[in-house]
Amino acid sequence: MTYLVLGAAGFIGSNLCSTLRRNGEDVVGADIAPGSDFRIRYVDLNDVDSIDDILSLVRPDAIIQAAGVVEQSEYALQWNPRFTKNLLDAVLRYGAERISQIVILGSAAEYGVVDATQRNVPEETPLCADGYYGRSKKEETACALSYKDLYGLPVVIARMFNILGSGGVAAHRPGTFIPNTLKQIGEIKAGIRSGFDHINRLDTARDYIDIADVADALIVLAHNSDHQWDTYNIGSGTATTNKALIELMMEASGISVPLIEKSPTPEPHHAECADITRLTTEFGWQPRRTLTESIATICRRAGSGPTIPVLIIGAGVAGQLIARDIIRHFESSFDIIGFVDDDRTKQNASVDGIPVLGAIDDLPALIARHSIAELLVAIPSEHGGAIQRVLKQCEGSGVKFKILPRQAEVVAQEYHNDYYRYIRELRVEDIFGGSVTTADTHTIRAYTKGKSILVTSHTSKALRVVREHVAEALHSLCVSVLQSDEDNNKQLEE
């Protein structure tokens, strides 16, 4: 049986592909941003030809649709239903009879606010989604079920509750409850703060389930083509309050501080616990990982030190890849505050739940406002002019600069998915663009020995980098740098 997993570079998709491979299954992952993982094929769910191509290439027996926009925005409402509709139209063109099962990922957010007396929410509960994301999933799953009714497509809905695990782009996106708690635990251990300041209510409860159990449940649904129902909840079947969750995280991290809630008003009663009777009764599936085990793993991988507030320059594919990898690896000390991008269409929006805070010209204000310590430049390093603009805007700020390697370096070093591990310092070729050549330094050194060299540029950061490299390579007695500052020139250092 061949599985096609869409959204394979994301949190759920990547874990699902790994589980299928460990089980010895034939699986092909596809994603619009596959990164450097050669096992992931390219697909754009907004491009019908791209979907047709991946179906013809893979010839899947089962499809698991884990791709989509995970954020509270009109963007999610616009694209999530469209992605799945495009997929199902492509299946009709390909031949519905050739596919045994199509699993569409839904969300507990589709239920919205429910009766406060209703603890374990069954699948037949009316859908009252009240946010952009919940509404987008409600429209997406309704579309999928309509194709099942109209065309007989083998569609099943997996309605998932709150997922925990390593690499949670969805569950651990910066600014949400768990990453905020992890960050503040690290600051408490480092002596930076004395307590938590992000707890609205201690009695708010949610149903948390480990990603490994989610992967097992999705495989069960994809593998079995004869389902009694068209929708199945995937959760632990147990509600956990914010108080209990934070206490587990403190215990796993070795700290204990008083918990004080900020709001006197209870939050609306959203679906806090899944009724998983359908899945357990029909297929015998049961969650195997306890919340205590999942939290212990998360806290261990998160580390205990304070985080480094960073901005990612560039909200394109490269920026999204590095953001995903940072979030995927809890041991990373980077705390992503947001993206910076000159694209006006991205301003005041968010990408994978991370806000685009402004353009390059806004860097001085953003650095001061958010106490930024480092900038991660996700602009292709051959675009030296843009990188020089970034450096010029950051003059005197004291921030550190790191850059994402060029594609040639990515391929050469076989980075796989660990982009964040290979972020490096700026080099001369990053600032000025172009390819790297090997110079005959022996001949050049003989020519320049004992001579003074003048280097000019319009940013002091670029000048210092060049000066260090030239002086080291040529052993010159004197390397002077001259900065061009609009109408006048001034010598910086000698």
Side-chain angles (χ1 to χ4, degrees), residues 286-485:
Q286 290 282 353
R288 295 182 293 158
R289 289 84 177 173
T290 67
L291 181 59
T292 300
E293 292 170 339
S294 299
I295 291 297
T297 300
I298 291 171
C299 290
R300 183 174 64 253
R301 292 177 176 172
S304 59
T307 55
I308 301 170
V310 301
L311 291 174
I312 298 178
I313 311 300
V317 172
Q320 294 172 43
L321 283 171
I322 193 63
R324 285 182 178 184
D325 281 344
I326 288 172
I327 297 170
R328 183 179 291 119
H329 294 85
F330 284 112
E331 65 269 29
S332 168
S333 59
F334 292 132
D335 177 19
I336 305 173
I337 303 302
F339 288 108
V340 172
D341 199 295
D342 282 343
D343 186 344
R344 293 183 179 180
T345 65
K346 296 177 181 176
Q347 301 301 314
N348 301 315
S350 61
V351 179
D352 276 341
I354 303 172
V356 180
L357 299 175
I360 290 176
D361 290 343
D362 300 317
L363 276 171
L366 294 174
I367 289 169
R369 183 182 309 140
H370 299 285
S371 301
I372 299 301
E374 293 193 14
L375 298 181
L376 305 183
V377 182
I379 301 172
S381 57
E382 54 266 28
H383 296 175
I387 296 173
Q388 289 184 42
R389 282 187 57 219
V390 172
L391 296 176
K392 187 172 180 62
Q393 288 297 328
C394 299
E395 287 288 349
S397 66
V399 298
K400 295 181 179 179
F401 298 87
K402 288 186 171 64
I403 193 166
L404 199 62
R406 288 182 294 178
Q407 188 61 34
E409 294 171 328
V410 172
V411 173
Q413 297 190 40
E414 298 181 350
Y415 288 178
H416 301 292
N417 282 327
D418 291 343
Y419 278 85
Y420 91 94
R421 295 182 184 274
Y422 295 94
I423 298 172
R424 58 164 172 75
E425 303 291 336
L426 284 175
R427 297 174 183 166
V428 174
E429 60 267 24
D430 301 322
I431 298 171
F432 295 105
S435 60
V436 181
T437 60
T438 302
D440 183 358
T441 55
H442 177 76
T443 301
I444 298 174
R445 187 179 299 132
Y447 174 76
T448 59
K449 184 177 181 180
K451 297 180 181 179
S452 297
I453 298 174
L454 177 67
V455 180
T456 64
S457 181
H458 64 283
T459 66
S460 61
K461 176 71 176 180
L463 286 168
R464 291 191 183 99
V465 172
V466 174
R467 179 176 186 268
E468 291 168 2
H469 281 72
V470 171
E472 179 182 357
L474 303 182
H475 294 190
S476 299
L477 291 179
C478 178
V479 177
S480 297
V481 293
L482 197 68
Q483 179 182 10
S484 171
D485 186 6

Side-chain angles (χ1 to χ4, degrees), residues 84-85 87-89 91-92 96 99-104 139-158 221 224-232 278 282-283:
T84 290
K85 182 180 185 303
L87 169 65
L88 298 178
D89 285 336
V91 169
L92 290 175
I99 306 291
S100 64
Q101 194 61 63
I102 306 171
V103 181
I104 306 296
E139 288 189 18
E140 179 183 359
T141 56
C143 172
L145 292 176
S146 71
Y147 272 67
K148 179 177 184 177
D149 293 338
L150 289 171
Y151 306 109
L153 290 185
V155 167
V156 65
I157 307 300
L221 291 176
N224 294 276
S225 57
D226 184 18
H227 297 104
Q228 184 178 350
W229 309 94
D230 56 25
T231 303
Y232 295 83
R278 288 184 180 180
E282 185 174 347
F283 300 107

